[in-house]
Every structure is written in structure tokens, then in C-alpha cells.
Amino acid sequence: LATIAAAEKTIMQCDIEMARIQRELTVCDQQEVHFQEQADQLEVEGPGGEQTKGAPRQIETQLNDIRRFRQAVAKRKLELHQEKVKENLKRAEAMEKIALSKERMQRLRSRQKLFDTLGRSAATTGGASGLEATLRVAYAKFRELQDTGILKMAETGKFDGIQEVISTSHRALNDISLAIKEISAASSVVGGDPKRSAADAKLLEDLVEENLKLRKTIGEVIEEKVRRAESGDHHQNKEAGEHDLAGMAEFFKECSMVVPRYQKEAETKAIAE
């Protein structure tokens, strides 16, 4: 609710700014028309025009002033249009925040309704509700997701290295992603209202899918850290004060180039013989 209120306040401020910008643009248009009319009139009265009376130099000075005024007005219009674009972008971002917040609230209400239904069913039937099969499958998927965590697999599994752990975790997450539809399939074999069962199964699927996306994001972060630890971090922008950081691969490469003392002595003795 706080996010929606802040976004609505931003939209209100943007609307006020847009109205101000539009008023200033209207004034600029009126000034352009006025300066154009003055310039046309002076060009008629100036040298080479129909009327040559008066001071031609004074008329030329007035024309130069009008040109500068028109340039200033054009510059101001450009600035106002740029401000208008910024306000439109800010307003669009606020509208997007409101839409996302309302969608999130709707999902939370649906989940709360589902949990209330599960609680009432458990209290009245001792847990043997129409959602029991769907809930069992969803819970099994949650447990499978917990077992696919890179840290947990590295801690409890037997792997040759971190790369094998990461690749195994990726494959397991992809398998679970393909098997999420089993939750909806479980809802079709239970009794009760089919539409309500399908809606409840969809909510459980969304919960599992969000957990899956979160674990994939965590895996990508870990994979990037491993890559930087192995290969180093090479920056493209050296002018910003960033420096390249060597990784473990380069360190071990340097170590392999150092010949131990006993090996040097053995090679020297072999050559002498």
C-alpha cells in the first residue's frame, strides 16, 4: 500500500509538472507567432522593402533582436520538450509500479484465501480434503528444490569439483521446471469443484515457480563468482580507475612455470653426464 501511495503521489506531481510545461509551451508558441509577425512587418519597412522611411539601421537592430529572442524561445521549447519526456517516463514508471503492486496484492490475497481453505479443510476433515493430493505434489516439489541448492549439494553430495556441482544443480532445476505441471495434473484426479481445484493448483504452481526462479538466480550469482575466482575480473574501462584482477588459473599457471631446485639440479647433472 505504501508503494502504491508513493506512486500515486508521483503521478500527481507529474501531472502538475506536465500542466505547467504545457502552459509554458503555449506561451512559447504565442511568442514565436508574435516575433514572426514583428519580423515580417520590419522586413516590409526595412531597406529593400516597400517603405524605406525611417532609420534602416534601427530596423536592422530590431530584426537582430527578434532573431535572438526567437532563438531563445526555440531553446526554451527544446528544454520544455526534454522535461516533458522525463516527466512522461517518470509517470510511466509510477504506473508500472502501481500495476505490479496491485498484481502482487492480488496474488497474496489469492494465496491467503487458499491457505484459509486448507486450514478449514484440515480442521473439518482431519486433512483429507480435495486439495490434499495437489498439496502433496507441491510440497514434494519444494523438497526437491531444497535438495538442488548448490551449497547443499556441495555439502552433502560427492562431486569432483564445483563445476560439476553447478552443472548438476542446473540439470536438476530444469527437470523440476518441466515437472511443475504435475501439480495441476494431481488436481484433476481429486474430487470437488474442477474449476476451484484448477485455480488452487495454479496458485501452488506459481509458488513453486517463484521458488525455482529464485534458486536459478542464486545459482547464476554463484556461477559468476566462481568464474571470477577462476579466470579473474578483467575490466574494459581502465580510465575509471578499475584494475584487472588475476584469477586462480593464472596463479597456478605462474606456479607451474617455476622449476623446483631439485629438478634443476637433476637436469644439470643429466646434462653433465
Side-chain angles (χ1 to χ4, degrees):
L1 294 177
T3 303
I4 294 177
E8 289 177 347
K9 184 177 180 180
T10 301
I11 291 175
M12 187 181 301
Q13 292 173 350
C14 290
D15 291 339
I16 294 174
E17 285 296 313
M18 292 283 289
R20 178 190 64 79
I21 292 171
Q22 189 60 44
R23 288 195 299 270
E24 292 193 23
L25 284 172
T26 303
V27 172
C28 289
D29 291 337
Q30 293 173 351
Q31 289 176 342
E32 280 189 337
V33 173
H34 175 67
F35 290 142
Q36 183 63 43
E37 292 176 353
Q38 282 189 330
D40 294 340
Q41 183 65 27
L42 289 173
E43 286 176 357
V44 171
E45 297 175 358
E50 296 179 359
Q51 301 177 8
T52 57
K53 298 180 180 180
R57 183 174 298 177
Q58 183 178 2
I59 294 176
E60 187 65 26
T61 302
Q62 291 177 353
L63 286 172
N64 291 333
D65 292 340
I66 290 174
R67 292 191 191 98
R68 287 193 293 269
F69 290 150
R70 293 181 67 182
Q71 290 175 357
V73 171
K75 182 179 179 181
R76 180 55 182 163
K77 283 186 68 176
L78 179 61
E79 293 174 352
L80 289 172
H81 281 297
Q82 291 175 349
E83 291 180 11
K84 187 175 182 180
V85 170
K86 291 180 180 179
E87 293 297 328
N88 279 327
L89 290 175
K90 192 186 299 184
R91 193 179 192 279
E93 290 177 358
M95 292 291 293
E96 185 177 1
K97 286 182 180 179
I98 290 177
L100 291 175
S101 298
K102 289 183 177 179
E103 182 181 357
R104 191 177 298 113
M105 288 177 62
Q106 182 64 31
R107 289 202 305 267
L108 290 174
R109 291 193 186 99
S110 300
R111 292 172 187 175
Q112 184 63 43
K113 190 175 182 180
L114 173 62
F115 294 148
D116 292 341
T117 302
L118 291 173
R120 287 195 300 269
S121 299
T124 56
T125 64
S129 65
L131 289 174
E132 185 178 357
T134 307
L135 191 60
R136 279 202 305 268
V137 176
Y139 181 70
K141 298 305 174 187
F142 271 116
R143 295 297 300 269
E144 291 177 8
L145 286 172
Q146 290 179 351
D147 294 337
T148 58
I150 294 178
L151 298 179
K152 187 173 182 179
M153 292 179 70
E155 190 178 318
T156 59
K158 295 181 180 180
F159 300 96
D160 294 333
I162 185 63
Q163 293 296 343
E164 185 179 355
V165 178
I166 292 175
S167 61
T168 304
S169 176
H170 284 341
R171 288 196 301 270
L173 289 174
N174 289 332
D175 293 340
I176 296 174
S177 177
L178 296 174
I180 286 180
K181 296 299 181 182
E182 294 178 5
I183 300 174
S184 297
S187 68
S188 62
V189 299
V190 298
D193 187 3
K195 292 184 179 180
R196 182 56 183 270
S197 298
D200 294 339
K202 183 65 172 60
L203 288 174
L204 292 172
E205 277 186 10
D206 292 341
L207 289 172
V208 176
E209 191 170 0
E210 287 184 8
N211 195 308
L212 175 66
K213 290 179 180 178
L214 179 61
R215 292 186 180 276
K216 282 186 176 181
T217 303
I218 294 173
E220 291 172 357
V221 172
I222 294 176
E223 188 175 5
E224 175 63 18
K225 288 183 179 293
V226 171
R227 184 199 63 78
R228 293 177 61 184
E230 291 181 348
S231 305
D233 192 7
H234 303 284
H235 297 284
Q236 298 294 333
N237 188 8
K238 300 296 183 61
E239 297 180 356
E242 298 176 343
H243 302 284
D244 292 342
L245 300 177
M248 292 186 295
E250 188 171 349
F251 172 77
F252 285 112
K253 181 180 179 181
E254 293 177 358
C255 292
S256 65
M257 296 172 64
V258 178
V259 181
R261 182 178 179 181
Y262 70 88
Q263 186 175 349
K264 287 183 179 181
E265 294 175 353
E267 291 176 354
T268 304
K269 185 177 179 180
I271 294 173
E273 292 177 353

